[in-house]
């Protein structure tokens, strides 16, 4: 009787562990989809369409930097792919007034 009780406790415990793992996997998948949707919201625009306030902010904060590509979303935020003189590159997200949102 004692072995039966111990076996049932282990079985129940292992089922609970698998259920928790599945919920964690679903949460990670949902977060990944949200990030992908946010990134997909940007569409490429010509560099000439980038507001002067945005280009001035890049020139002021990153002297010698070059804007390689620009993307815009519906909230009038710009995602810029920027190269620095030392060969490093990165992405900036700024609003249409040149305020940095994410670096």
């Amino acid at each position: 009787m004692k072995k039966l009780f111990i076996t049932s406790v282990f079985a129940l415990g292992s089922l609970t562990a698998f259920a928790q793992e599945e919920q964690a996997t679903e949460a990670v998948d949902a977060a990944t989809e949200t990030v992908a949707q946010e990134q997909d919201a940007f569409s490429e625009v010509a560099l000439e369409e980038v507001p002067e306030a945005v280009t001035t902010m890049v020139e002021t904060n990153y002297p010698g930097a070059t804007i390689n590509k620009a993307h815009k979303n519906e909230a009038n935020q710009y995602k810029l792919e920027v190269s620095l003189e030392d060969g490093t590159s990165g992405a900036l997200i700024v609003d249409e007034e040149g305020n940095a949102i994410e670096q």
Side-chain angles (χ1 to χ4, degrees):
M1 181 74 169
K2 191 176 186 182
K3 289 181 182 180
L4 178 63
F5 179 72
I6 292 173
T7 305
S8 61
V9 168
F10 283 127
L12 182 61
S14 63
L15 290 175
T16 305
F18 286 122
Q20 290 174 349
E21 183 178 314
E22 185 175 319
Q23 290 174 349
T25 303
E26 289 173 0
V28 169
D29 291 343
T32 303
E33 287 179 22
T34 303
V35 170
Q37 288 173 352
E38 289 176 5
Q39 290 178 349
D40 291 339
F42 286 93
S43 57
E44 190 168 353
V45 295
L47 295 177
E48 295 81 28
E49 294 179 32
V50 176
E52 185 176 334
V54 173
T55 56
T56 302
M57 186 281 292
V58 172
E59 291 170 358
T60 303
N61 294 322
Y62 305 97
T66 305
I67 300 174
N68 299 324
K69 289 185 180 181
H71 300 82
K72 180 181 176 182
N73 67 8
E74 292 178 1
N76 288 329
Q77 297 172 339
Y78 291 85
K79 180 178 178 183
L80 308 171
E81 294 180 20
V82 179
S83 296
L84 302 177
E85 289 180 325
D86 64 359
T88 59
S89 61
L92 301 171
I93 298 179
V94 297
D95 64 12
E96 62 188 340
E97 296 168 357
N99 300 315
I101 297 174
E102 186 177 309
Q103 295 184 2

